[in-house]
Amino acid sequence: GVVSCGSTGRDPGHRGGGGGRAPPPPPLSREGRGVTSGLSREEGGVTSGLSREERGVTSGLFREGVKSGLRDGARAYQAARDLLLRLPPRLGGERLQSPGESASEAAVRVATKLESGVLAIQGPPGAGKTFTAAQMICALVRAGRKVGITANSHKVIRNLLDKVVELAGRSGLAIQCLHKVPDKQQNVPGIRFETSNEKALAAIGTSCQVVAGTAWLWSRPDAFEAVDTLFVDEAAQMSLANVLAVSQAGRALVLLGDPQQLEQPIQGSHPEGTDVSALEHLLGGAATIGNEQGLFLEQTWRLHPEICSFTSELFYESRLHCRAGLERQIVKSAGRIRGAGLRFLPVPHEGNQNSSPEEADAIVRLVEDTLAAHATWVDRDGREHDLTLEDILIIAPYNSQVFEIQRRLPQARVGTVDKFQGQEAAIVLYSVTTSSHADAPRGMEFLYSLNRLNVAVSRAKCVCVLIASPAIFEPACRTPRQMQLANAYCRYRELATELAQFS
């Protein structure tokens, strides 16, 4: 639900090394206010063609008192201006992506060319978004640039910092990062931890080349243009309002994420139009980012071609492709789950809403059948591995169903879609749980969510098994939107091989 969060003056994000999510930042600083003032008549006219909700992006900010800042000719808030107006990245005449160049290669090449403005990078499942961002950051550090990193949670920030340190070590680049955290932690090689905002900002360009923190750090008045480039990780989960608040910290802004995966969590109220995520705003309703607007990481390093084909068609306008070698990823077994691709296990039941003992029992039998068959799986390099319980990911849309399965399989990797974004396994079992569309406790939008189906299926390297009541594929759609939602499930059913029911 929607809650109103006030400012407490300190970052109450993740504690003690966990993955907690920080609340929205405090109001815009004096420098940060006025993101939209000073727009020329031509620039202001860009908003006239937007929908009522999109026009609210600027009108809402004005209502909040955002009335000072940009003046004609001033470019101190170029990133915010360009983000609002959906302008392409400013690369000084450099081509965004050359023919034959991968999006990841292009991102690293143009990293040091982005002097101001916004570069958006959409990273589908397994496309190497974190790897690409870390390469870009290393390139910027080599060029003597100051880099900032932000995200909604400290867990996401730390994941990117770890990758930066790893890649820097491989290439012999001397790098020192700082992570501003709410509670003191033990330093690790390449990463210092600091609890003081003032000390964290003072370290930029002196003792550290890369500084990271949540929006509470970067929206402070003393963070104004503290870095050359600010990276916003999981920008599809950060509201446009919050990204505007932190954009003042850097002359250039790099947005990383994927609006086709999990949407932003609702944690506060924003002016009309600014509650969409920053990447959703840039895409303007499209499934993938335009070639002039940003970069689309077009290769997955995870999905078998049969899984990639479904994911690409349904969620990415057929722009996502497999890296060579992924066709080798298969499960070798005499059990029910073998080979590669999409599978469907029908489990008839009625009246279930957020838990299904029938599906939980079927999952137990699938897992036991697979492990008893002494199955193996082959990775993209052709190496064969014993298939263990760790190689099976079990996903459900509701916590009640998660608990239902955990009681039966306490050692298994079980959780909701939200828990497993960013993770992967040889086999994914997805328990739809609800008996029919009429039983959905949160309505069709949640049960048939395209984002959640995308994330669940795309965790699988070799095989994804959808465990569901057959009635799930027979919803009574009353609107075009409901037809769109149901179509994804029906398309899955068309492409999937049906597994025989347990007797």
Side-chain angles (χ1 to χ4, degrees), residues 472-490:
I472 282 293
F473 302 98
E474 302 172 357
C477 298
R478 293 182 173 84
T479 67
R481 173 59 179 169
Q482 289 179 347
M483 293 175 66
Q484 180 188 24
L485 294 172
N487 175 67
Y489 272 79
C490 292

Side-chain angles (χ1 to χ4, degrees), residues 435-459:
S435 295
S436 71
H437 76 283
D439 297 303
R442 304 188 198 176
M444 281 190 66
E445 279 287 342
F446 183 85
L447 179 62
Y448 292 85
S449 166
L450 301 179
N451 299 69
R452 290 176 178 276
L453 180 62
N454 181 22
V455 174
V457 173
S458 63
R459 301 309 93 197

Side-chain angles (χ1 to χ4, degrees), residues 125 261-262 302-303 307 337 345 354-356 359-364 366-367 389-406 409 412-434 446-447 449-461 463-468 489 492:
Q261 297 188 62
L262 290 186
R302 177 189 302 155
L303 309 178
I307 301 175
I337 300 177
L345 177 63
N354 57 9
S355 67
S356 171
E359 290 186 19
D361 289 339
I363 286 172
V364 170
L366 269 180
V367 170
L389 195 56
E390 277 294 306
D391 299 309
I392 302 174
L393 209 59
I394 305 172
I395 303 175
Y398 311 106
N399 283 323
S400 294
Q401 182 68 353
V402 169
F403 300 147
E404 194 81 40
I405 298 168
Q406 284 177 332
L409 295 169
R413 298 169 66 190
V414 188
T416 61
V417 174
D418 308 73
K419 176 180 177 179
F420 289 132
Q421 180 163 10
Q423 298 189 41
E424 59 188 21
I427 297 173
V428 166
L429 308 179
Y430 184 40
S431 173
V432 177
T433 306
T434 306
F446 183 85
L447 179 62
S449 166
L450 301 179
N451 299 69
R452 290 176 178 276
L453 180 62
N454 181 22
V455 174
V457 173
S458 63
R459 301 309 93 197
K461 295 179 180 180
V463 179
C464 177
V465 184
L466 192 73
I467 300 97
Y489 272 79
Y492 182 101

Side-chain angles (χ1 to χ4, degrees), residues 192 232 236 356 370 395:
R192 281 170 43 200
V232 181
S356 171
T370 301
I395 303 175

Side-chain angles (χ1 to χ4, degrees), residues 111-113 136-146 173 228:
T112 57
K113 310 295 182 183
M136 295 174 70
I137 291 170
C138 287
L140 287 164
V141 170
R142 285 191 193 92
R145 306 288 179 81
K146 295 174 291 186
L173 174 67
D228 298 303

Side-chain angles (χ1 to χ4, degrees), residues 130-282:
T130 302
F131 179 81
T132 299
Q135 284 188 307
M136 295 174 70
I137 291 170
C138 287
L140 287 164
V141 170
R142 285 191 193 92
R145 306 288 179 81
K146 295 174 291 186
V147 180
I149 297 172
T150 192
N152 271 342
S153 77
H154 291 286
K155 181 178 180 181
V156 172
I157 291 171
R158 179 63 187 276
N159 184 53
L160 180 51
L161 284 176
D162 286 343
K163 183 59 69 173
V164 169
V165 172
E166 177 191 336
L167 295 187
R170 287 188 202 170
S171 62
L173 174 67
I175 196 167
Q176 182 61 55
C177 305
L178 184 147
H179 187 178
K180 194 279 167 185
V181 291
D183 297 304
K184 189 61 180 175
Q185 299 179 36
Q186 190 68 35
N187 294 340
V188 298
I191 305 176
R192 281 170 43 200
F193 296 97
E194 180 56 67
T195 58
S196 163
N197 288 314
E198 292 78 8
K199 290 181 180 179
L201 293 174
I204 299 174
T206 55
S207 59
C208 297
Q209 304 103 317
V210 181
V211 172
T214 63
W216 288 78
L217 173 66
W218 299 112
S219 59
R220 292 168 55 90
D222 50 344
F224 177 69
E225 292 195 353
V227 295
D228 298 303
T229 305
L230 179 65
F231 284 74
V232 181
D233 202 357
E234 300 295 1
Q237 297 187 42
M238 186 179 287
S239 72
L240 175 59
N242 288 359
V243 173
L244 290 173
V246 303
S247 66
Q248 55 111 31
R251 290 188 289 275
L253 196 64
V254 177
L255 304 180
L256 307 155
D258 181 14
Q260 296 299 92
Q261 297 188 62
L262 290 186
E263 301 165 308
Q264 60 163 325
I266 299 175
Q267 296 200 78
S269 59
H270 299 292
E272 182 184 11
T274 61
D275 53 347
V276 299
S277 76
L279 277 180
E280 282 180 298
H281 170 71
L282 276 181

